[in-house]
């Protein structure tokens, strides 16, 4: 995890603007150390290659130069050019040698920018530092102020001897900084410098202000982690940073909208549960005393106990059902009397419903018994029908005698 942290703001310059850049490489003996994979020199070469490629792709008129600061003297490897192949080929001529001359390297880089082909656009020096700086703080501040006066921005990538160079590099960048156009990126051991600068202002300028600030945790454009964004969106930020930034902003906006909808749905569900839960608890509280006071349900009456036959039609159907069951099981002792009483009751009821005639129609009785599947040949049924007909005849005779008595009176 990169902990690069520029000493100044990350949003420093116009992204994709025309700019000429000179990269100062540290090729001192300290660059043999293996605290950066695989050595400091190779890690520096990877990061410098990334810067060269990105600068030339951002704007076709951008130019990049390169020099080596260590050895007997500072060596200008490539004058500012827009040919990437020439820049990448220059790395083959870099080898470790002697001590770094930081002040001389920066001054020669400024001189190379002064004689650049295209005088338009900005000027920038990117310095890799991986060995102790012997120049004192005052001299560095004086060089920084001179760069600021000539409108030359400076980016310093510290990737070794961090404690020894920390104060000097901060003073130097602070003196050269103008409108937040200069940055100090500190790369801790074990982290690739190319990962640390992938989302920093060194690569993307102001475009890194939106992307790099989030990747670096607000540290100002120093952290790595751009590779994760590249794999997430399928777009190389080095090739098309504008598309990469647009995709990232669109994704973040969509994620924010989804979170807002989820929060609204959760709030609505919580309020709905609260409203439905309140009446349920009230009903349960009100139903508890009522349930305690309610008597226990009485057991159903036995099948042998028939309910009272108040309704005439129910009585007739119950009696007919009892008669139909006589064929399937032997009736009890009282069954013949009940079976005999059933046709009588049915006949009396039918006689009453018959009208003012007051007699029992045999056809009606036969039809009724047939509808309830009663065997009319049963002796008990025939006896009951005979009794009913006899009672009906007596009733008719009595009714005939009453008008005669009235006439006699």
């Amino acid at each position: 995890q990169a902990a690069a942290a520029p000493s100044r703001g990350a949003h420093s310059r116009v992204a994709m603007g025309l700019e000429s850049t000179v990269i100062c490489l540290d090729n001192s003996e300290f660059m043999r150390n293996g605290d950066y994979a695989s050595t400091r020199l190779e890690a520096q070469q990877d990061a410098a290659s990334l810067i060269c490629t990105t600068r030339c792709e951002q704007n076709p008129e951008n130019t990049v130069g390169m020099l080596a600061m260590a050895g007997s003297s500072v060596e200008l490897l490539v004058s500012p050019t827009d040919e990437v192949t020439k820049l990448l080929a220059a790395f083959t001529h870099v080898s470790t040698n002697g001590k770094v001359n930081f002040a001389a390297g920066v001054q020669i880089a400024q001189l190379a920018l002064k004689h650049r082909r295209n005088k338009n656009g900005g000027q920038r020096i990117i310095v890799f530092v991986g060995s102790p700086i012997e120049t004192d703080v005052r001299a560095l501040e004086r060089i920084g102020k001179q760069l600021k006066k000539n409108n030359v921005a400076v980016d310093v990538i510290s990737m070794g001897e961090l404690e020894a160079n920390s104060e000097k590099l901060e003073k130097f960048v602070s003196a050269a900084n103008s409108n937040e156009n200069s940055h100090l990126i500190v790369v801790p051991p074990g982290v690739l410098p190319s990962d640390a600068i992938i989302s920093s202002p060194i690569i993307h300028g102001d475009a890194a202000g939106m992307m790099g600030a989030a990747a670096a945790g607000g540290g100002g454009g120093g952290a790595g982690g751009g590779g994760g964004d590249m794999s997430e969106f399928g777009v190389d930020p080095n090739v098309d940073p504008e598309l990469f930034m647009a995709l990232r902003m669109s994704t973040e906006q969509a994620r924010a909208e989804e979170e807002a909808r989820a929060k609204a749905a959760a709030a609505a569900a919580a309020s709905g549960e609260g409203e439905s839960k309140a009446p349920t608890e009230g009903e349960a509280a009100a139903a508890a005393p009522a349930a305690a006071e309610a008597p226990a349900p009485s057991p159903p009456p036995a099948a042998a106990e028939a309910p009272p036959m108040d309704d005439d039609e129910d009585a007739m159907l119950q009696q007919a059902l009892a008669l139909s069951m006589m064929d399937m099981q032997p009736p009890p002792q009282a069954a013949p009397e009940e079976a005999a009483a059933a046709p009588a009751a049915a006949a009396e009821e039918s006689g009453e419903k018959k009208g003012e005639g007051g007699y029992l129609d045999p056809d009606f009785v036969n039809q009724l018994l047939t509808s309830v599947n009663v065997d009319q040949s049963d002796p008990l049924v025939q006896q009951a029908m005979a009794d009913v007909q006899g009672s009906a005849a007596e009733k008719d005779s009595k009714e005939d005698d009453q008008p005669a008595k009235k006439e006699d009176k």
Side-chain angles (χ1 to χ4, degrees):
Q1 179 180 357
S7 61
R8 296 298 175 184
H11 319 297
S12 60
R13 54 191 168 83
V14 179
M16 269 71 71
L18 175 60
E19 193 171 63
S20 295
T21 306
V22 173
I23 300 175
C24 301
L25 301 178
D26 186 348
N27 60 326
S28 65
E29 295 292 341
F30 285 87
M31 301 303 288
R32 297 178 185 272
N33 293 346
D35 48 354
Y36 298 88
S38 59
T39 63
R40 292 182 184 180
L41 185 64
E42 292 184 5
Q44 172 187 248
Q45 179 176 339
D46 292 340
S49 300
L50 175 62
I51 295 172
C52 293
T53 305
T54 304
R55 291 282 171 169
C56 293
E57 290 177 347
Q58 286 176 347
N59 193 312
E61 296 185 8
N62 281 352
T63 57
V64 180
M66 190 181 304
L67 59 83
M69 297 185 293
S72 58
S73 61
V74 176
E75 180 183 1
L76 181 63
L77 301 174
V78 181
S79 300
T81 180
D82 56 359
E83 299 181 16
V84 180
T85 54
K86 184 182 293 187
L87 294 169
L88 298 180
F91 289 111
T92 59
H93 304 290
V94 178
S95 60
T96 56
N97 184 16
K99 297 181 180 181
V100 66
N101 191 342
F102 182 88
V106 172
Q107 290 175 339
I108 293 177
Q110 181 182 3
L111 185 62
L113 289 173
K114 183 177 180 181
H115 296 283
R116 66 190 185 279
R117 291 183 309 176
N118 191 346
K119 302 297 182 179
N120 298 324
Q123 306 174 74
R124 181 170 296 273
I125 298 174
I126 300 178
V127 186
F128 286 89
V129 179
S131 57
I133 298 175
E134 297 181 352
T135 309
D136 58 26
V137 176
R138 291 185 177 180
L140 293 176
E141 288 182 343
R142 185 172 60 254
I143 296 173
K145 292 178 181 180
Q146 185 179 3
L147 294 174
K148 181 179 180 180
K149 181 180 179 180
N150 295 329
N151 296 322
V152 179
V154 177
D155 292 329
V156 179
I157 302 172
S158 178
M159 49 176 296
E161 312 302 325
L162 304 181
E163 295 182 359
N165 297 331
S166 176
E167 181 180 359
K168 293 181 179 181
L169 293 178
E170 288 179 359
K171 296 287 188 180
F172 171 71
V173 173
S174 177
N177 182 46
S178 175
N179 297 324
E180 304 297 330
N181 68 342
S182 300
H183 312 88
L184 170 63
I185 297 180
V186 179
V187 184
V191 178
L192 291 177
S194 57
D195 291 340
I197 67 173
I198 187 67
S199 58
S200 70
I202 295 179
I203 298 297
H204 298 299
D206 282 342
M210 301 182 67
M211 299 181 294
D229 295 331
M230 183 166 23
S231 62
E232 178 182 359
F233 302 115
V235 177
D236 188 354
N238 301 326
V239 176
D240 196 345
E242 290 183 340
L243 177 60
F244 176 81
M245 183 172 61
L247 291 174
R248 180 161 186 167
M249 292 176 63
S250 177
T251 303
E252 291 178 354
Q253 183 179 1
R255 187 181 298 112
E257 292 177 357
E258 291 178 0
E259 291 177 356
R261 286 195 296 268
K263 290 181 180 179
S271 61
E273 289 179 1
E275 293 177 358
S276 61
K277 186 177 180 181
T280 302
E281 294 178 352
E283 292 176 0
E293 296 176 0
S298 58
E305 297 179 2
M309 301 181 184
D310 296 334
D311 193 351
D312 296 337
E313 294 182 0
D314 290 344
M316 184 173 59
L317 293 176
Q318 291 290 343
Q319 294 293 341
L321 181 60
L323 292 173
S324 65
M325 295 295 292
M326 290 172 62
D327 295 338
M328 292 183 291
Q329 58 184 0
Q333 295 296 331
E337 297 178 0
E338 295 177 359
E348 291 177 2
E349 180 65 22
S350 301
E352 292 176 0
K353 292 181 179 180
K354 187 73 176 177
E356 296 178 355
Y359 63 92
L360 184 62
D361 187 0
D363 294 336
F364 177 75
V365 175
N366 292 333
Q367 183 180 2
L368 176 62
L369 295 178
T370 302
S371 63
V372 295
N373 297 326
V374 176
D375 187 8
Q376 299 183 19
S377 63
D378 192 338
L380 295 176
V381 176
Q382 293 178 359
Q383 180 65 32
M385 292 177 62
D387 293 341
V388 170
Q389 291 176 358
S391 61
E394 291 177 1
K395 184 176 181 181
D396 292 340
S397 62
K398 289 179 181 181
E399 290 178 355
D400 293 340
D401 292 343
Q402 286 180 359
K405 290 179 181 179
K406 291 180 180 180
E407 292 176 0
D408 294 341
K409 292 179 180 180

